[in-house]
Amino acid sequence: MLDPVTLAVLSGRLEQIADEMDATLFRSAFNPIIAEAHDASHGIYDSVTGETLIQGKSGLPIFVGAMSFAVKAVIEKANHDGDLCEGDVYVFNDPYDGGTHLSDFRLVKPIYRSGKIFCFLASVGHYHDVGGNVPGNYNPAATESFQEGVLIPPVKLFQGGVLQQDIIDIMSANSRLPGSLYGDLNGQLNALDLGTKRLNELLDQYGEDLVHEATVELKARASKLMRAYISRLPDGEFEAVDWLDNDGISDDPLKIKIKLKISGERMTLDFSGTSPACLGPVNISRSTTVAACYVAMKHVFPEVPANSGVLEPVDFIIDENSILSVKAPKPVGGYTETILRIIDLVFQALALVSPELTNGCAYGTINALSLAGYKKDGSRWVMFSFFGGGHGGHPLGDGLNHGNAPISTATIPPLEILEAAYPIKFREWSLRQDSGGVGENRGGLGAVYEIELLEEEAKAFIFGERSKFAPPGVVGGGDGALNKFSYEHQNEFKSPPLASKMVNISLSKGQAVRLETPGGGGYGKVYKRKIDSVLNDVKLEYISSALASSEYGVVINDEGEVDEGKTFASRKKIRQTR
């Protein structure tokens, strides 16, 4: 039996290995989405089941659940072929077999000790461009995965330590930016090499048996802690429904429904009643749905260790014909938008169970934007980035202003990096006033980005959500503002027919695109918000005087101070009507 001190030491050492792998890739990647935004992850996985043993703290949490399916896919492939050996490294981006979407390339490497597999190391990173109809690969008009990029099944990039150059040649030939792809791939390989070295050092020091015992114990503790948290919740069934604006093809909304069932130490997440698989690219695979639920659980129960034990007491019911469980060749490029809605639904359902554990919904879209064209020297350029918004108000305070999506610990690429790398400039990058949902604790503010083209011409592509269904508040809190995208055409800004999805937007030099992102949903009744907090929001220009009066009942006079008489009467009326 491991003593607590040794277990803590081994847990820390294993986490450090994954963290170092993260840092190695972040510092060596060519692509700003990895190098600056940290859209990548590394971990250590079980040699038999592929389950997550350890994941780095800097990588994307959404990859924890998904990567275990990816490693399992490699294990099944290796068992079928019967040719796994030391020095092998598999590479693939299959979104239906342990993946997310085609931009996310996975590398999986077996670690051998004394001729036997001890575990697998894995790396995943979001590549800048992997072919398809749209530069950057977020194609809102795709009706099959062939229009989203090249699909590479699990194949050996290294076989017995020998590089298979033809695999790299195939990958590079299918990218608009082969240099970026090559740099990112080598960054991942370097991360795996470092992880192999560090893990072998640890195993040399403590031995395989002791380290294996530690991973088993850490998983058991995560499961035990999760069951304890679930057991504290009241038994029952709690339902919530949310919507996607459209699928990028037709303008019909898509329903996602959850029934959260709690019985003793077990929880069931039942997605029956969700819309069937659609034509457009907001479908996701079953493994991605499970991974999104994992992220939601970690938000609600952050103390639980990040390994597969988190989901042991959780059962899933997912209709195979729904948008949450599709198979090839259904398009899945916009998976981020759908998993954000799943996380929102978990928050909304848990607000009915235990309000003190949850928060208002975050802004709910990454607003994937691509600008692409040719420079004067004939070279190709592709700017792909995602953008921030407000997080939900919560029991302890207001939501975060201009944060990144809750699927990740990624950061929004700085404008200095984007302006240095691409022929664009930001006319505006600011907080969006009045965008946070009202409540006892206000939702965080969204942002305004206006990006001007400096080259002679380019095409723009946008893939967003929450333009028709605002981020909901909880426990009586108000909704955040809707998402809004527009582009400059003939001296005026126009909006796409499908609100937040459009391809092939023609831009000329000096024209711009504009994003006004949602705020987060509010938490708690609006009349419970302190008057001083409302006044401070007005002074900081987070909210306008008009909203302070109409929503919070706080009347601000011409001197910028609270009119106590009018405020008392207005808030009394709000208490009676809300």
Side-chain angles (χ1 to χ4, degrees):
M1 181 69 178
L2 272 173
D3 65 90
V5 173
T6 303
L7 180 63
V9 169
L10 290 174
S11 175
R13 287 282 297 274
L14 289 166
E15 286 182 8
Q16 185 180 21
I17 292 170
D19 289 342
E20 278 197 80
M21 293 168 71
D22 284 343
T24 298
L25 179 56
F26 298 156
R27 292 173 183 174
S28 59
F30 284 27
N31 164 17
I33 297 301
I34 297 177
E36 296 293 335
H38 295 179
D39 194 343
S41 183
H42 297 84
I44 305 173
Y45 300 85
D46 188 85
S47 62
V48 177
T49 65
E51 292 178 334
T52 304
L53 303 177
I54 296 290
Q55 193 213 15
K57 294 185 289 295
S58 302
L60 268 67
I62 189 62
F63 289 142
V64 180
M67 282 300 289
S68 64
F69 288 94
V71 176
K72 183 180 179 182
V74 167
I75 292 171
E76 291 175 351
K77 167 75 171 173
N79 289 340
H80 177 270
D81 294 345
D83 62 349
L84 186 67
C85 64
E86 191 167 1
D88 285 353
V89 177
Y90 285 83
V91 62
F92 63 110
N93 70 335
D94 189 337
Y96 314 99
D97 200 2
T100 42
H101 63 170
L102 293 171
S103 298
D104 295 334
F105 264 86
R106 290 150 168 77
L107 271 63
V108 178
K109 179 181 182 179
I111 301 300
Y112 279 79
R113 296 285 293 186
S114 303
K116 296 182 179 180
I117 300 176
F118 177 78
C119 68
F120 286 88
L121 297 183
S123 170
V124 56
H126 181 127
Y127 285 14
H128 205 144
D129 183 272
V130 295
N133 289 7
V134 168
N137 307 119
Y138 265 82
N139 180 5
T143 56
E144 55 185 4
S145 62
F146 306 109
Q147 299 162 346
E148 298 179 310
V150 62
L151 190 155
I152 305 292
V155 293
K156 288 188 179 182
L157 180 63
F158 279 82
Q159 187 162 7
V162 179
L163 175 66
Q164 308 300 295
Q165 182 62 40
D166 54 350
I167 301 298
I168 296 181
D169 293 343
I170 292 169
M171 293 169 60
S172 298
N174 282 279
S175 174
R176 295 174 178 85
L177 301 168
S180 175
L181 181 147
Y182 187 76
D184 294 343
L185 178 62
N186 277 278
Q188 287 183 280
L189 290 170
N190 289 335
L192 289 177
D193 286 345
L194 179 67
T196 302
K197 178 182 177 182
R198 293 286 188 261
L199 184 58
N200 279 321
E201 291 171 349
L202 179 66
L203 294 172
D204 288 343
Q205 182 177 355
Y206 286 93
E208 292 90 335
D209 291 342
L210 193 64
V211 175
H212 175 71
E213 185 181 351
T215 61
V216 172
E217 179 62 22
L218 289 170
K219 175 185 172 183
R221 291 190 176 202
S223 177
K224 182 179 180 180
L225 188 56
M226 192 69 184
R227 291 197 304 270
Y229 280 129
I230 294 172
S231 69
R232 297 174 190 172
L233 302 175
D235 287 357
E237 297 184 0
F238 309 87
E239 292 188 5
V241 174
D242 210 331
W243 302 83
L244 293 168
D245 294 343
N246 52 58
D247 68 353
I249 307 300
S250 67
D251 204 16
D252 299 321
L254 300 167
K255 180 170 69 172
I256 303 180
K257 179 180 178 181
I258 190 172
K259 180 184 289 184
L260 189 153
K261 304 176 185 177
I262 298 170
S263 179
E265 294 183 341
R266 298 203 66 82
M267 175 186 292
T268 299
L269 300 179
D270 183 352
F271 291 95
S272 301
T274 294
S275 290
C278 59
L279 285 175
V282 293
N283 301 292
I284 59 176
S285 66
R286 189 180 193 280
S287 60
T288 305
T289 299
V290 173
C293 294
Y294 168 88
V295 175
M297 292 295 103
K298 279 292 292 172
H299 274 285
V300 177
F301 306 114
E303 296 85 1
V304 181
N307 63 52
S308 60
V310 172
L311 294 182
E312 279 199 347
V314 182
D315 300 309
F316 295 91
I317 300 175
I318 305 169
D319 188 344
E320 290 187 1
N321 297 315
S322 81
I323 60 173
L324 306 183
S325 186
V326 301
K327 295 178 174 59
K330 282 290 186 181
V332 294
Y335 89 102
T336 49
E337 310 306 288
T338 307
I339 63 176
L340 285 169
R341 206 62 69 252
I342 291 172
I343 294 171
D344 287 346
L345 275 169
V346 173
F347 291 165
Q348 293 173 61
L350 280 169
L352 304 174
V353 183
S354 190
E356 73 279 0
L357 290 178
T358 191
N359 46 262
C361 296
Y363 62 107
T365 176
I366 71 165
N367 274 317
L369 174 68
S370 296
L371 298 174
Y374 292 90
K375 296 180 181 179
K376 291 179 180 178
D377 62 5
S379 62
R380 191 70 179 267
W381 67 277
V382 177
M383 186 204 90
F384 171 81
S385 191
F386 45 80
F387 297 89
H391 281 225
H394 52 87
L396 301 180
D398 295 340
L400 177 68
N401 294 331
H402 187 233
N404 204 356
I407 58 175
S408 72
T409 54
T411 60
I412 302 158
L415 68 85
E416 294 86 354
I417 296 295
L418 297 175
E419 288 184 337
Y422 310 111
I424 55 105
K425 75 173 182 180
F426 280 81
R427 292 178 183 172
E428 183 175 358
W429 180 313
S430 64
L431 294 178
R432 183 184 179 190
Q433 190 181 54
D434 290 345
S435 58
V438 299
E440 179 181 6
N441 294 322
R442 173 182 44 76
L445 301 186
V448 178
Y449 311 89
E450 193 167 304
I451 307 170
E452 180 181 331
L453 176 67
L454 300 182
E455 275 291 349
E456 292 303 316
E457 60 182 15
K459 295 287 188 179
F461 308 82
I462 184 67
F463 198 136
E465 268 290 333
R466 286 294 190 202
S467 291
K468 297 181 179 180
F469 300 94
V474 297
V475 201
D479 296 347
L482 290 169
N483 194 28
K484 183 178 180 182
F485 173 79
S486 56
Y487 59 96
E488 205 166 4
H489 180 70
Q490 296 181 347
N491 298 318
E492 64 176 341
F493 277 92
K494 295 187 175 182
S495 297
L498 296 183
S500 55
K501 300 179 181 70
M502 191 171 179
V503 299
N504 291 319
I505 301 168
S506 295
L507 296 176
S508 299
K509 186 175 182 177
Q511 292 183 328
V513 295
R514 183 178 175 86
L515 275 167
E516 299 171 53
T517 69
Y523 181 94
K525 298 290 187 180
V526 66
Y527 58 78
K528 292 184 178 180
R529 187 163 180 81
K530 295 178 180 178
I531 293 175
D532 287 346
S533 296
V534 177
L535 178 61
N536 189 54
D537 283 346
V538 172
K539 290 180 176 179
L540 292 172
E541 299 184 11
Y542 289 170
I543 67 173
S544 63
S545 296
L547 186 138
S549 175
S550 63
E551 296 295 328
Y552 289 103
V554 176
V555 181
I556 311 296
N557 60 30
D558 294 339
E559 288 72 39
E561 301 298 331
V562 175
D563 185 317
E564 295 183 0
K566 291 182 179 179
T567 295
F568 177 82
S570 181
R571 285 174 74 86
K572 181 179 180 181
K573 183 177 180 180
I574 288 174
R575 285 190 183 90
Q576 293 172 344
T577 57
R578 300 189 192 181

